[in-house]
Amino acid sequence: QKEVEQDPGPLSVPEGAIVSLNCTYSNSAFQYFMWYRQYSRKGPELLMYTYSSGNKEDGRFTAQVDKSSKYISLFIRDSQPSDSATYLCAMSEGYGGSQGNLIFGKGTKLSVKP
Amino acid sequence: EAGVTQSPTHLIKTRGQQVTLRCSPISGHTSVYWYQQALGLGLQFLLWYDEGEERNRGNFPPRFSGRQFPNYSSELNVNALELEDSALYLCASSFYRTAYNEQFFGPGTRLTVL
């Protein structure tokens, strides 16, 4: 079992749709959860981060973490063609953990059609 | 504020050659991470440097090596290049002592091995 599983898609939705992106993980030591957006041939851009369980909202984006189920989600409301990108979930144990690096999912490719 | 910078942007090498990639972190960041993003494999952690020391290493052969300089910039060296080393090499930086250890990525160096 991989540490982080993410459905690679591709996911195609019409403009204005609500998009749900998800990741599952196996390492219960993960405490910090992040979502990155990566446009084609560019480096990943940090979109949102959350600590432990709970929700966090930022504009059209909502991140949810359910540590009991080892499941995280990113919701995009009123999706726009400019949201078309690959979305990567990433996790870490955080400062003091055994690893400083992030563990990434493989990414979900999202296409928002006008 | 300048982001993470990487050079060169593109490289074409042949099998058996050696390559050096460079990364300059965001000002104030002391940690540098190197990731490999090969087609279909997602981001794979290579190396983590903090305060000039190698802190962690991913599951890559010893021909992948690097270092961090006193100004926190970093080099990634790959010896005896193989075809499967063709990938986007991403550098990220963070100030590790913050709880979230948010990592910010550069645009990457695209390496093609022929």
Side-chain angles (χ1 to χ4, degrees), chain A residues 16 31 36 39 99 102 109:
Chain A
Q31 298 190 75
Y36 285 83
Y39 291 111
Q99 301 174 341
L102 298 175
K109 189 169 185 179

Side-chain angles (χ1 to χ4, degrees), chain A:
Chain A
Q1 180 189 13
K2 290 192 179 294
E3 267 195 301
V4 180
E5 300 271 10
Q6 184 176 9
D7 186 340
L11 182 60
S12 183
V13 301
E15 184 175 353
I18 296 174
V19 176
S20 172
L21 305 167
N22 311 293
C23 289
T24 59
Y25 63 94
S26 58
N27 186 351
S28 57
F30 289 147
Q31 298 190 75
Y32 298 92
F33 304 91
M34 298 160 206
W35 286 94
Y36 285 83
R37 177 173 63 195
Q38 186 175 24
Y39 291 111
S40 182
R41 307 186 80 82
K42 303 284 188 186
E45 168 195 11
L46 181 62
L47 203 55
M48 295 190 73
Y49 58 85
T50 52
Y51 168 70
S52 196
S53 286
N55 293 359
K56 185 173 182 179
E57 189 172 318
D58 184 1
R60 297 184 294 111
F61 299 90
T62 300
Q64 288 186 351
V65 175
D66 182 349
K67 288 193 72 179
S68 62
S69 301
K70 297 191 177 69
Y71 186 87
I72 70 170
S73 300
L74 178 71
F75 297 95
I76 307 174
R77 291 183 299 281
D78 188 24
S79 56
Q80 303 295 309
S82 58
D83 295 329
S84 298
T86 296
Y87 289 80
L88 302 153
C89 63
M91 319 181 176
S92 80
E93 297 175 15
Y95 179 58
S98 61
Q99 301 174 341
N101 53 288
L102 298 175
I103 308 299
F104 281 86
K106 285 194 174 182
T108 300
K109 189 169 185 179
L110 171 67
S111 178
V112 181
K113 304 294 186 186

